Amino acid sequence: MKHVTDALCVFRIHLARLRAEAGPFVLAALVFPTAMYLFAVAVSGAQEISDEKRLRFLAGSIVFSLSMTSVSWLGYLLLENRFTGRLKLFATLPVAPSSYIFGVLLFALAQAALGTITLLVVARVLNVRAHISFIALGLVVLVTMLCLCGLSVIIAARARSFSEGSLLTDSLGAGLVFLAPVYYSPQAMPRALSAISQWLPTTFAARAVQTTLSGSSQIGAELLALALMTVLTLSLGFRLMRWREE
Amino acid sequence: MSTNESLLAKSQAQTSNREREEEAAVVCVRGLIKRYSDGTAANRGIDLDVRCGEVVSILGPNGAGKTTFLRQLTTELKPTSGQIEIFGVDAVAEPQRAKRMMGITPQEAGVFETLTVREHFEFFGRFKALSKREARIAAFDIADELGLGAEINRRVGLLSGGQRRRILIGLALMGRPPLLVLDEPTTGLDPASRQSVWQVLRRVVAEGATIIFSTHYMEEAERLSDRIAIIEGGQLLAFDSLDKLFARLARSYRVSHSDPFDPLSEPFIRYFATFSEAQEYVARERLSEYALSRASLEDIYFTLTGERFKDGAEGESA
């Protein structure tokens, strides 16, 4: 019971931060992804853009939003906790490191849910015809968010300074989306980049999100890949996070 | 045995039990060694016992190993070797259990700028297993005691450095832990705020808490402590009550005076065994402006460490 209360307190502390600084969140989770959707539609070249393309761009924007909130924004918060001594304050308390991490992940999940739902509403306003498989979409969003959060935890744990860490999270937050073929077809990529991009979590996530937006739940392979990456990144992040110095 | 005699025996037994309890060490440190990965030995075999209800201050020059010692006590830093027991709990092996009995103010810790003072206290009360109602009541009580009552609903980002420091002390007090470990709690506070913190600390000690704190203020150590530990070079040079530390000084009278031709220079300080010896020195040197006094804690510190104490100096990190 104490673990749950502690994790909820950590969640609420970070939520208060979101409440006070909603502007950057709205920019990262909603405005930029929406702008990217509109940009991708505009430069797609076709007079009448197909529903499939629209869904791909929407899936890309949802993954963009997830990446910006889970890697850039959350990474920034974790770095701030570490380098401004807030993590030290948590470490003085009888709070298990796992409660802190679960609280942070809960916060990231709340952001991911808020961002995804709002983007779906925006898509409806923009006349994107989607037949959403909600449960499958929820699963993909959850696993993608966890996997990307794992990357944030690793960076926040390993960065030698705040500026180094925030530069990394910012680059990775945007780079993971632009390296994955989410706003363009994989064939349009140079061969070397294509080889890399097919192993990125955002590639699997975008493919899975697009599938769920078209009403299908055939996302087993993508989910499995994302789950494996989640286990890898989160367990490494847990391992690297220093709650207690040696 | 008459009723009176049996009551007397019972009362004596209770008194001796209480004395034993007070004498029992609540913090027991044995052979504490901390060697960092770069080879620096910050603590070199510290042994120290702190009894229930005691106030112990830790003094030492910058880099002496005070903060390293306290960070190991609070389980933040893992010792290279040695034992730390907090109320009988092995703090090295079971840090979470040990922390349940401690209120900790680290030397450098950040607060959450977007939270209000009340939210800080309430959340930390919840972390310390208080109910919502208890945490709320404690938040108001502690804020009042620390002179933060008027700011209770203000965001911490709008408060001064001294007010933030008092919040950190308040967070340690939440949940009334039986042991407080405070690393330079009053550094950066103005004299009035320092007095209010001292008052709070005296109150918690009167309620039975034990306090271990490091400080850069001699006056603070003299006024608050039952025993004073002096650490230098990672070793415990002395650990005793103020009276017993004074008794170590063979020459307990000090004369200090400045060079009349260079009044801004460092003052000369000389020590003497008796008052008359000190007076003779003053007469012999024909000093017109001087101070003759009994030795202070600062003199003991100087005798032991060979360094002058720098009141309110910047915090150390080692």
Side-chain angles (χ1 to χ4, degrees):
Chain A
M1 190 60 197
K2 171 122 181 23
H3 281 289
V4 178
T5 316
D6 289 348
L8 281 175
C9 280
V10 173
F11 164 71
R12 287 180 59 201
I13 285 173
H14 287 89
L15 200 63
R17 172 74 189 268
L18 180 64
R19 217 173 46 211
E21 293 171 4
F25 169 75
V26 171
L27 266 180
L30 307 170
V31 176
F32 286 153
T34 306
M36 278 310 294
Y37 170 81
L38 295 171
F39 177 75
V41 169
V43 299
S44 65
Q47 285 287 335
E48 268 299 308
I49 187 164
S50 67
D51 282 347
E52 193 208 334
K53 265 193 176 172
R54 281 180 185 273
L55 285 186
R56 181 151 61 83
F57 296 154
L58 177 60
S61 291
I62 288 173
V63 174
F64 187 22
S65 169
L66 287 175
S67 186
M68 290 302 279
T69 50
S70 301
V71 183
S72 302
W73 179 243
L74 191 81
Y76 182 85
L77 290 184
L78 292 176
L79 283 164
E80 209 179 36
N81 282 355
R82 183 180 155 205
F83 287 104
T84 61
R86 289 175 192 155
L87 188 61
K88 188 178 267 189
L89 204 56
F90 280 117
T92 66
L93 292 164
V95 173
S98 56
S99 300
Y100 171 76
I101 291 285
F102 280 121
V104 166
L105 292 181
L106 205 59
F107 169 68
L109 182 63
Q111 288 191 119
L114 192 63
T116 307
I117 290 168
T118 314
L119 281 174
L120 289 176
V121 171
V122 170
R124 203 173 171 84
V125 172
L126 294 174
N127 277 329
V128 182
R129 266 169 270 159
H131 308 278
I132 307 164
S133 168
F134 282 102
I135 294 174
L137 177 64
L139 262 176
V140 179
V141 168
L142 175 70
V143 183
T144 307
M145 182 277 296
L146 287 175
C147 176
L148 297 178
C149 284
L151 292 175
S152 302
V153 177
I154 293 170
I155 294 171
R158 290 300 292 171
R160 282 168 296 183
S161 67
F162 183 82
S163 49
E164 182 192 77
S166 64
L167 190 66
L168 265 174
T169 53
D170 284 349
S171 316
L172 210 62
L176 276 176
V177 175
F178 293 115
L179 280 178
V182 294
Y183 290 116
Y184 46 86
S185 67
Q187 290 76 23
M189 288 189 100
R191 195 173 291 171
L193 272 182
S194 175
I196 297 169
S197 79
Q198 64 180 319
W199 296 105
L200 293 177
T202 40
T203 305
F204 290 104
R207 210 183 301 149
V209 170
Q210 191 184 343
T211 309
T212 60
L213 291 179
S214 54
S216 170
S217 301
Q218 304 294 311
I219 49 168
E222 285 82 7
L223 265 187
L224 183 67
L226 284 169
L228 285 175
M229 288 182 194
T230 300
V231 171
L232 190 76
T233 58
L234 273 183
S235 55
L236 191 62
F238 270 123
R239 219 182 153 80
L240 293 175
M241 202 186 82
R242 282 186 193 170
W243 195 253
R244 191 181 186 195
E245 284 180 43
E246 290 294 323
Chain B
M1 193 186 274
S2 72
T3 317
N4 280 347
E5 280 173 335
S6 97
L7 278 175
L8 186 66
K10 198 175 170 186
S11 152
Q12 280 170 343
Q14 277 174 347
T15 309
S16 69
N17 276 346
R18 199 162 47 240
E19 280 168 0
R20 262 202 302 278
E21 212 171 85
E22 282 170 3
E23 284 297 307
V26 294
V27 175
C28 182
V29 178
R30 290 284 172 274
L32 191 68
I33 293 174
K34 180 65 199 176
R35 192 170 288 111
Y36 288 107
S37 52
D38 65 356
T40 311
N43 284 170
R44 305 162 187 239
I46 292 180
D47 294 313
L48 180 140
D49 284 340
V50 179
R51 296 187 287 260
C52 187
E54 256 192 323
V55 180
V56 168
S57 58
I58 315 276
L59 297 178
N62 286 336
K66 307 188 296 285
T67 294
T68 298
F69 174 70
L70 291 183
R71 287 176 72 203
Q72 289 173 98
L73 213 59
T74 58
T75 77
E76 189 195 332
L77 192 65
K78 211 171 173 182
T80 305
S81 64
Q83 292 177 321
I84 302 171
E85 276 190 12
I86 310 282
F87 291 96
V89 173
D90 183 342
V92 182
E94 294 182 273
Q96 293 300 329
R97 257 187 84 197
K99 276 194 283 188
R100 268 180 232 149
M101 286 168 277
M102 281 191 265
I104 300 163
T105 301
Q107 190 184 100
E108 286 165 0
V111 282
F112 294 88
E113 300 194 345
T114 50
L115 294 184
T116 63
V117 176
R118 182 177 56 77
E119 285 171 329
H120 268 90
F121 288 145
E122 285 182 4
F123 280 130
F124 278 70
R126 298 287 286 150
F127 283 131
K128 292 185 177 182
L130 297 185
S131 69
K132 270 187 189 170
R133 192 170 168 275
E134 287 169 338
R136 198 177 180 85
I137 293 169
F140 279 94
D141 287 349
I142 288 176
D144 280 341
E145 273 192 300
L146 290 168
L148 293 165
E151 331 292 338
I152 195 153
N153 286 316
R154 286 186 78 193
R155 279 199 185 153
V156 170
L158 302 171
L159 303 183
S160 70
Q163 287 169 321
R164 290 174 191 215
R165 191 76 196 144
R166 277 182 278 159
I167 291 171
L168 288 176
I169 296 168
L171 296 180
L173 296 171
M174 286 302 286
R176 296 175 183 268
L179 173 66
L180 288 172
V181 183
L182 316 170
D183 197 355
E184 296 182 21
T186 59
T187 296
L189 294 188
D190 59 64
S193 305
R194 196 175 301 158
Q195 291 281 351
S196 75
V197 170
W198 290 355
Q199 245 173 19
V200 175
L201 296 183
R202 286 197 187 102
R203 195 261 304 156
V204 297
V205 171
E207 288 173 1
T210 305
I211 300 179
I212 302 174
F213 73 102
S214 69
T215 182
H216 271 288
Y217 301 107
M218 278 293 166
E219 186 196 3
E220 189 164 83
E222 280 191 57
R223 285 192 178 202
L224 293 178
S225 318
D226 295 309
R227 284 196 289 169
I228 295 166
I230 298 177
I231 294 181
E232 205 220 8
Q235 288 176 315
L236 190 62
L237 296 185
F239 181 39
D240 234 323
S241 65
L242 199 55
D243 288 343
K244 286 183 179 162
L245 288 175
F246 276 135
R248 289 183 178 208
L249 281 180
R251 292 179 297 172
S252 62
Y253 290 90
R254 91 203 284 267
V255 173
S256 66
H257 60 93
S258 300
D259 180 350
F261 300 106
D262 185 9
L264 296 176
S265 64
E266 284 281 306
F268 295 106
I269 298 171
R270 298 289 298 265
Y271 295 95
F272 302 92
T274 62
F275 185 67
S276 57
E277 270 181 34
Q279 277 183 314
E280 276 168 29
Y281 172 76
V282 169
R284 195 169 58 244
E285 296 292 321
R286 295 180 182 167
L287 300 177
S288 56
E289 284 183 26
Y290 61 92
L292 197 169
S293 59
R294 285 302 295 263
S296 64
L297 179 58
E298 189 180 345
D299 299 303
I300 297 166
Y301 179 89
F302 176 64
T303 308
L304 289 167
T305 65
E307 280 194 40
R308 284 272 154 230
F309 200 85
K310 291 177 181 65
D311 246 12
E314 287 295 309
E316 58 158 346
S317 59

